[in-house]
Amino acid sequence: MTPPPPGTRPIAEPPAGLLGHLPLLTKGKQKCAYDSLRLLRQAYGDVFQIRILGKPWICVSDMEMIQKILSSEREAFPKRGDAVDEMAVIFGDQGILVTEGEQWLRQRKMCMPAFRHEQLVAMVE
């Protein structure tokens, strides 16, 4: 693993087994990835790293950091890498998950009504 740059701290990472962290994604009451990631967050904090099939995945649940990544400082977090490539294959290369700039902004404005507080409350317990 590459050491973090000076002045930063390393990203927490659970111990990995022969299959990396893949088995961790079936833990928890529901035996699903969401429940497993929630448990990992409780153990390792709002930012942690897991490795799946040898590739690092940074998991972020800190609200301020998510705001920066998705909105206020999104230019500092370009959409690239294996995850983006895989999403483009699955969902197409013109969707909100893989586009940037004006196209991304237009798509974001179109989907925002689905994320109003009332809509989200209706979707979860």
Side-chain angles (χ1 to χ4, degrees), residues 79-93 97-98:
K79 296 179 182 178
R80 63 176 176 241
D82 294 334
V84 174
D85 295 343
E86 291 171 23
M87 286 188 287
V89 169
I90 295 168
F91 300 111
D93 61 359
L97 299 174
V98 296

Side-chain angles (χ1 to χ4, degrees), residues 41-86:
R41 176 185 179 232
Q42 289 173 349
Y44 295 96
D46 287 338
V47 179
F48 62 91
Q49 177 174 274
I50 57 175
R51 293 183 185 275
I52 300 176
L53 302 176
K55 296 180 181 180
W57 291 73
I58 306 295
C59 302
V60 178
S61 57
D62 176 75
M63 298 308 265
E64 289 181 21
M65 183 166 284
I66 291 170
Q67 175 71 25
K68 289 177 181 181
I69 292 168
L70 295 179
S71 186
S72 65
E73 296 179 25
R74 68 181 181 276
E75 298 83 19
F77 301 93
K79 296 179 182 178
R80 63 176 176 241
D82 294 334
V84 174
D85 295 343
E86 291 171 23

Side-chain angles (χ1 to χ4, degrees), residues 7 12-13 16 18-20 22 26 39 43 51 61 63 69 74 92 95 99 121 125:
E13 184 174 337
L18 188 60
L19 297 174
L22 196 57
T26 61
L39 292 173
R51 293 183 185 275
S61 57
M63 298 308 265
I69 292 168
R74 68 181 181 276
T99 58
V121 168
E125 296 177 8

